[in-house]
């Protein structure tokens, strides 16, 4: 598996995130083996396997019926968490195919984490 387009774009901006002391974590529905391959392709991101959907269920990001063949999938959701573990901002586009650009994520970091740049 290679870095998905969106993950690849985030990977390309890793220096911008590092300057802000921000770590990008992507929760994947892939199994552990495939997630490890994605991790190798995107070494500056943290890829977490969630094949059993426990994290997605806990975060309430399951998008029912919008995956391949009408299956359930994770809704593209961006959550900014400060160094103390407090959620500072959540973005969830109305359409499944919409993803935030790295520039939009960086702007949100600057706006919502500018006083508490956590990891």
């Amino acid at each position: 598996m290679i870095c998905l387009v969106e993950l690849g774009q985030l990977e390309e901006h890793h220096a911008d995130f590092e300057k802000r002391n921000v770590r990008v974590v992507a929760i994947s529905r892939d199994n552990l083996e495939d997630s490890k391959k994605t991790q190798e392709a995107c070494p500056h991101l943290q890829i977490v396997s969630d094949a059993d959907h426990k994290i997605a269920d806990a975060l309430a990001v399951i998008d029912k019926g919008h995956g391949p063949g009408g299956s359930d999938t994770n809704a593209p959701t961006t959550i900014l968490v400060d160094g103390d573990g407090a959620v500072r901002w959540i973005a969830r586009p109305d359409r499944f195919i919409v993803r935030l650009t790295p520039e939009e994520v960086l702007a949100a970091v600057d706006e919502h984490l500018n006083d508490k740049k956590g990891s």
Side-chain angles (χ1 to χ4, degrees), residues 56-67:
D57 286 340
L59 295 173
V61 297
I62 299 294
D63 200 1
K64 298 202 180 280
H66 287 102

Side-chain angles (χ1 to χ4, degrees), residues 2-116:
I2 58 170
C3 244
L4 298 173
V5 172
E6 295 86 2
L7 293 180
Q9 291 170 349
L10 290 169
E11 175 71 21
E12 289 172 3
H13 284 80
H14 72 87
D16 297 319
F17 288 103
E18 288 172 4
K19 284 181 201 172
R20 291 164 172 85
N21 194 29
V22 170
R23 183 174 18 165
V24 177
V25 179
I27 299 170
S28 170
R29 290 181 64 106
D30 292 336
N31 62 39
L32 186 57
E33 183 179 326
D34 287 342
S35 292
K36 284 181 180 181
K37 291 176 185 174
T38 301
Q39 179 68 70
E40 290 170 6
C42 302
H44 296 96
L45 308 181
Q46 179 66 50
I47 309 300
V48 177
S49 172
D50 187 35
D52 59 5
H53 316 154
K54 288 182 181 178
I55 298 170
D57 286 340
L59 295 173
V61 297
I62 299 294
D63 200 1
K64 298 202 180 280
H66 287 102
S71 64
D72 296 346
T73 191
N74 292 354
T77 306
T78 302
I79 303 171
L80 297 182
V81 180
D82 70 18
D84 294 327
V87 173
R88 303 288 296 251
W89 183 73
I90 299 174
R92 186 170 180 179
D94 292 333
R95 297 182 60 217
F96 178 79
I97 61 170
V98 175
R99 303 288 195 279
L100 296 179
T101 67
E103 293 81 11
E104 290 170 322
V105 176
L106 288 164
V109 167
D110 292 341
E111 180 179 349
H112 300 284
L113 294 179
N114 61 3
D115 63 335
K116 288 190 94 166

